[in-house]
Amino acid sequence: MTLIFFLIALVYSTVGFAGGSSYLFFLTLAGVPRAESVPLVLICNLAVSTVSFFHFYRAGHFRFRKVLPFMLLSIPMAFLGACIPTRKEIFFLLLGVCLACAGLRLFLFKEMTASKPAPNSKKLWFLGIPAGALMGFFSGLVGIGGGIFLSPFLFLTGLGTLSEASAAASFFIFVNSLSGLIGKMQNGFVIGPHGWSLVISALCGGWMGSRLGCNRFPRIGLQRILAVLTLFISTGLILKAF
């Protein structure tokens, strides 16, 4: 399992994601109870998103003003979503559908090599606040960081290049994972030694992947790899819901 976590973090972090949805999928296959797997995934998200943000920020891709409107309500809504218990079938269905939308977006659309003209400040806040609230709520409900929602949204609205969206996603994942983890802590959880080995493995993969994503890998190829992986996982989750 440590190798799987390393590879997931390696691939996802190249575009600023932390891999939370895939961690959840494989932990579920391994029979780990959701009460244990979700906090573990959120900690992995924190580790990977931290190193991803460090690399994308250092490379000059982070634009805080583009993320702030999405953050304001996403943080409390992630906490709220994390406090709401969900049936297993609904959990799998929600996660699977969300990942399918994100995977199709990554697969069907070409990479944007430059930013389109940004909307004015009023429009950015008008779009960002409600969208961020929804992203945060579903992130907390499912137990992921939400970058997989934010990044396609930034593409569709033309708010940035792939690198800018990747930097924004890594920051968004960090704040929402932290908020969701605090929500999960209301019920208490314990992570054993094996769990921490998965966190370390994800951290190492995230460090390598985010460095490659910032500097070396062709962006359109990364989108295709991530899209195939995401669609595969989403199909398994949706089938599992039924």
Side-chain angles (χ1 to χ4, degrees):
M1 187 69 78
T2 53
L3 178 59
I4 291 174
F5 270 51
F6 173 83
L7 293 174
I8 289 172
L10 178 67
V11 174
Y12 272 77
S13 63
T14 55
V15 287
F17 295 165
S21 52
S22 296
Y23 304 141
L24 275 174
F25 176 71
F26 284 103
L27 288 172
T28 300
L29 286 183
V32 179
R34 188 148 48 106
E36 298 177 20
S37 63
V38 171
L40 173 59
V41 166
L42 291 173
I43 292 174
C44 287
N45 278 353
L46 287 172
V48 176
S49 62
T50 298
V51 295
S52 293
F53 177 72
F54 170 77
H55 285 126
F56 282 103
Y57 178 83
R58 192 172 65 170
H61 300 307
F62 184 63
R63 305 288 182 267
F64 184 70
R65 65 181 181 83
K66 294 182 180 181
V67 185
L68 180 59
F70 297 92
M71 285 175 47
L72 288 183
L73 288 184
S74 74
I75 296 173
M77 293 301 286
F79 177 87
L80 176 63
C83 294
I84 298 175
T86 57
R87 290 173 50 195
K88 182 172 66 174
E89 294 80 9
I90 296 176
F91 169 78
F92 289 142
L93 184 61
L94 284 173
L95 181 58
V97 169
C98 290
L99 289 181
C101 293
L104 287 172
R105 165 62 190 87
L106 288 167
F107 191 80
L108 295 176
F109 288 77
K110 293 182 179 180
E111 175 192 5
M112 294 192 307
T113 56
S115 296
K116 296 179 181 179
N120 60 48
S121 179
K122 289 184 178 179
K123 186 175 181 180
L124 180 62
W125 285 88
F126 179 78
L127 292 173
I129 289 179
L134 287 173
M135 293 175 193
F137 178 75
F138 282 107
S139 298
L141 189 67
V142 176
I144 59 178
I148 206 163
F149 303 140
L150 178 63
S151 187
F153 188 88
L154 292 176
F155 277 122
L156 290 171
T157 54
L159 290 176
T161 63
L162 177 60
S163 294
E164 292 171 346
S166 299
S170 61
F171 187 75
F172 193 76
I173 289 167
F174 178 85
V175 295
N176 282 328
S177 294
L178 182 59
S179 180
L181 183 61
I182 293 172
K184 292 297 181 185
M185 287 173 64
Q186 306 306 305
N187 298 321
F189 67 92
V190 176
I191 297 180
H194 182 62
W196 288 114
S197 69
L198 296 178
V199 173
I200 294 171
S201 180
L203 176 64
C204 294
W207 180 272
M208 293 179 61
S210 57
R211 287 199 65 180
L212 291 170
C214 282
N215 303 312
R216 296 179 178 84
F217 275 17
R219 301 294 194 263
I220 195 67
L222 293 175
Q223 285 190 102
R224 295 293 186 262
I225 293 171
L226 185 58
V228 171
L229 179 61
T230 302
L231 289 170
F232 170 77
I233 292 172
S234 68
T235 301
L237 288 167
I238 292 172
L239 291 175
K240 203 172 183 64
F242 297 100

